[in-house]
Amino acid sequence: MGGLVYYSSASGNTARFVARLGLAAERIPVSPSEPMPEPAGPYVLICPTYADGEGRGAVPKQVIRFLNDPARRALLRGVIASGNRNFGATFALSGKVISDKCNIPVLYRFELAGDDLDVARTVSGLQKFWGTECLMMA
């Protein structure tokens, strides 16, 4: 199976979700002074949404910094986005923004730290996704 890279702010919602997946994952640091992870192979990005009422700022600045590196961006295969349904149209908007910019699919969207069903769907979906990816790359 491919890798996972995620960003989680100080609130820790995304980090709690990723921990519940039980899969190896690299974290994009909150602090710009910390080194960025360097994925060794293809990966899926898990990203929260931080949009204002107009949808601006949906993708966290550290995620933009991470993806601005061409080598890291070239290994990105899909995105899973989180958000808060209270924000309506901007729910999990970071996934759509990253998908559109990087030409990769949005694989799943979940709210806040997700629930047991979100965890099960994500693990199952990633297994299927990477299985398909391997067939496509063969």
Side-chain angles (χ1 to χ4, degrees):
M1 195 153 89
L4 276 180
V5 174
Y6 71 99
Y7 176 78
S8 185
S9 69
S11 73
N13 281 329
T14 308
R16 283 192 295 281
F17 178 78
V18 170
R20 290 172 57 211
L21 295 176
L23 303 171
E26 296 180 85
R27 183 175 184 163
I28 296 170
V30 174
S31 170
S33 64
E34 293 181 47
M36 287 287 182
E38 298 296 339
Y43 66 92
V44 167
L45 176 66
I46 301 178
C47 184
T49 299
Y50 299 107
D52 65 13
E54 305 298 315
R56 292 180 298 256
V59 180
K61 286 182 176 30
Q62 278 291 86
V63 174
I64 293 169
R65 270 191 65 222
F66 177 80
L67 292 174
N68 275 344
D69 178 272
R72 291 190 290 252
R73 193 173 54 248
L75 294 170
L76 179 62
R77 296 296 184 266
V79 63
I80 295 170
S82 69
N84 186 325
R85 292 190 191 280
N86 290 343
F87 296 106
T90 63
F91 168 69
L93 181 60
S94 64
K96 179 174 178 8
V97 171
I98 293 167
S99 170
D100 290 350
K101 292 246 183 209
C102 298
N103 196 29
I104 48 102
V106 175
L107 301 176
Y108 194 68
R109 301 181 314 159
F110 65 95
E111 187 171 26
L112 302 173
D115 59 22
D116 290 343
L117 185 57
D118 292 319
V119 169
R121 285 179 173 164
T122 299
V123 170
S124 173
L126 285 170
Q127 289 170 340
K128 287 177 185 160
F129 178 73
W130 289 117
T132 302
E133 169 106 349
C134 290
L135 290 175
M136 290 170 36
M137 295 176 78

